[in-house]
Amino acid sequence: AQSVTQLDSHVSVSEGTPVLLRCNYSSSYSPSLFWYVQHPNKGLQLLLKYTSAATLVKGINGFEAEFKKSETSFHLTKPSAHMSDAAEYFCVVSEGAGYSTLTFGKGTMLLVSP
Amino acid sequence: AAGVIQSPRHLIKEKRETATLKCYPIPRHDTVYWYQQGPGQDPQFLISFYEKMQSDKGSIPDRFSAQQFSDYHSELNMSSLELGDSALYFCASSFGQGALEQFFGPGTRLTVL
């Protein structure tokens, strides 16, 4: 069975400072991992995905994540937060080809202050 | 580029009523997934279809049913609605079963009074 743990329910940063959203996963197989963002009253937008290629994955809006198998982690980072980054972020795992059900983490709300 | 379309975007129903949510996948996508996101919760997988056949089943209540039609659109039918069914219902689509990326629609917000 697959599962995702997002270690922080809320993260607060100031505009222009780095962002770190933590995610640990559990999977019986070689997982695919994703980060989705959800702005208030909006749908889910894919930020980036890891699918067993390069372990450092670059996504949209300056976000990136590093897959670390030894630590079973897939933390999301951004060097400099922008006010528009304020949203809820979901770390998601899928057990890969042939079985594509997504399992979501509980989400991390990112708050960005001026 | 065309995205996943869901209708209606908002729906208000009374307890014990029925509701039908519709999902139109991205053109040429043959797989559809339904998710339920309760207030302050993470999305939970309900059910998926590939080529008009149910491909996987998650935490979908027995009061709910779904199907995928020949044009690949899908409908989620919900009967005997309960207050706890109030949630945001997402549809996602992909090309091919087991595709690595699912494209999400904007969601239908169902409120049960």
Side-chain angles (χ1 to χ4, degrees), chain B residues 6-17:
Chain B
Q6 291 187 246
S7 68
R9 294 293 310 279
H10 301 272
L11 189 58
I12 299 175
K13 291 286 186 179
E14 300 277 345
K15 280 184 355 180
R16 292 179 289 278
E17 286 190 323

Side-chain angles (χ1 to χ4, degrees), chain A residues 94 96-101, chain B residues 31 33 50 94-101:
Chain A
S94 169
Y99 188 76
S100 56
T101 298
Chain B
T31 308
Y33 313 80
Y50 168 67
S94 67
F95 177 70
Q97 192 178 21
L100 292 174
E101 184 172 348

Side-chain angles (χ1 to χ4, degrees), chain A residues 2-109:
Chain A
Q2 57 195 23
S3 66
V4 172
T5 301
Q6 291 185 244
L7 299 166
D8 306 292
S9 59
H10 292 81
V11 169
S12 295
V13 300
S14 299
E15 192 174 21
T17 64
V19 175
L20 170 63
L21 305 184
R22 299 182 294 166
C23 172
N24 286 100
Y25 70 92
S26 172
S27 175
S28 303
Y29 304 96
S30 297
S32 295
L33 293 158
F34 309 81
W35 276 97
Y36 281 86
V37 61
Q38 185 178 29
H39 287 90
N41 299 312
K42 298 289 186 182
L44 293 159
Q45 181 183 20
L46 179 67
L47 275 180
L48 49 79
K49 60 184 177 184
Y50 166 77
T51 57
S52 75
T55 56
L56 182 62
V57 181
K58 294 186 183 299
I60 62 171
N61 300 334
F63 285 94
E64 63 181 39
E66 186 171 8
F67 174 73
K68 293 186 176 180
K69 186 175 181 179
S70 61
E71 299 176 9
T72 60
S73 70
F74 190 58
H75 301 333
L76 181 70
T77 60
K78 182 173 181 177
S80 176
H82 192 273
M83 294 295 291
S84 61
D85 294 328
E88 184 144 32
Y89 291 79
F90 292 97
C91 183
V92 181
V93 64
S94 169
E95 290 193 321
Y99 188 76
S100 56
T101 298
L102 301 182
T103 299
F104 285 74
K106 295 297 183 185
T108 298
M109 182 66 72

